[in-house]
Amino acid sequence: MFKITCLLNDIDVTRALGDCLASILGPGDVIFLSGDLGTGKTTLTKAIASGLGIDPGEITSPSFTIIHEHPGGKVPLIHVDMYRLGPRADVLETGLEEYLYEDNLVIIEWADYLGEGLVSSPLSLHLSFVDETVRRAEITVSSRDWQARLETLTNCLERRAVTYERIGP
């Protein structure tokens, strides 16, 4: 397992993380985005979208529509929120499965509601509160396929002066 942890002290650091993530993501990638309500999942999605060349103003929480499509940018972004569906969600009813097998970047909030096995090698990103203004972002991957891209990510974070800790090779 490979893990990178960053402290998001303000919106500029969140934007830098989003830009750096966008630089390593491409068609077919899936991000499992988790965290308590209010930790900034949609804010980080906006930052990733901006890095992809998508207007962040177009990004809103898909809590009620479940899936938002954003076709512009270097790769189409599919933003999914499983929260309203709950832990026993029927993924086939959402249409999500179709997006996973196309050339999209898919960001899934509350992905733990999906169950096991639908996505083989996601990038997991967990946001948590440190205090009222600071969040912790924990990026975890289990596949060696991500190793080179994580090296690119850490190089980008260093260039953007984002403090991080890396665990694993």
Side-chain angles (χ1 to χ4, degrees):
M1 177 174 30
F2 308 93
K3 183 176 184 178
I4 296 172
T5 302
C6 303
L7 289 182
L8 308 178
N9 299 321
D10 58 36
I11 191 66
D12 291 333
V13 176
T14 302
R15 287 181 184 134
L17 176 59
D19 284 345
C20 290
L21 284 167
S23 74
I24 67 162
L25 296 168
D29 287 336
V30 178
I31 297 177
F32 285 179
L33 185 54
S34 63
D36 289 336
L37 291 171
T39 52
K41 293 180 295 294
T42 300
T43 300
L44 183 57
T45 300
K46 287 181 180 200
I48 294 168
S50 177
L52 294 172
I54 297 168
D55 179 1
E58 293 180 12
I59 307 298
T60 58
S61 177
S63 292
F64 294 100
T65 56
I66 312 301
I67 298 174
H68 284 174
E69 299 178 42
H70 304 282
K74 78 173 194 177
V75 61
L77 172 63
I78 308 302
H79 185 196
V80 181
D81 188 333
M82 301 294 292
Y83 182 75
R84 280 191 341 108
L85 299 177
R88 305 218 190 301
D90 184 348
V91 176
L92 296 177
E93 286 185 24
T94 66
L96 173 60
E97 197 169 23
E98 297 171 27
Y99 294 107
L100 294 174
Y101 302 109
E102 295 179 7
D103 290 334
N104 302 304
L105 167 59
V106 181
I107 298 176
I108 305 172
E109 296 185 27
W110 301 92
D112 48 328
Y113 290 170
L114 286 179
E116 300 283 326
L118 188 62
V119 177
S120 61
S121 183
L123 180 146
S124 295
L125 203 161
H126 181 76
L127 297 173
S128 58
F129 291 104
V130 173
D131 61 32
E132 288 182 19
T133 59
V134 179
R135 308 294 190 264
R136 176 178 293 109
E138 296 177 341
I139 301 162
T140 308
V141 296
S142 56
S143 168
R144 289 202 173 274
D145 297 341
W146 284 97
Q147 190 169 358
R149 290 198 275 172
L150 288 184
E151 196 64 40
T152 302
L153 175 64
T154 58
N155 290 338
C156 181
L157 293 172
E158 288 172 9
R159 283 192 309 276
R160 302 289 298 268
V162 175
T163 304
Y164 69 90
E165 178 184 2
R166 183 173 180 161
I167 299 169

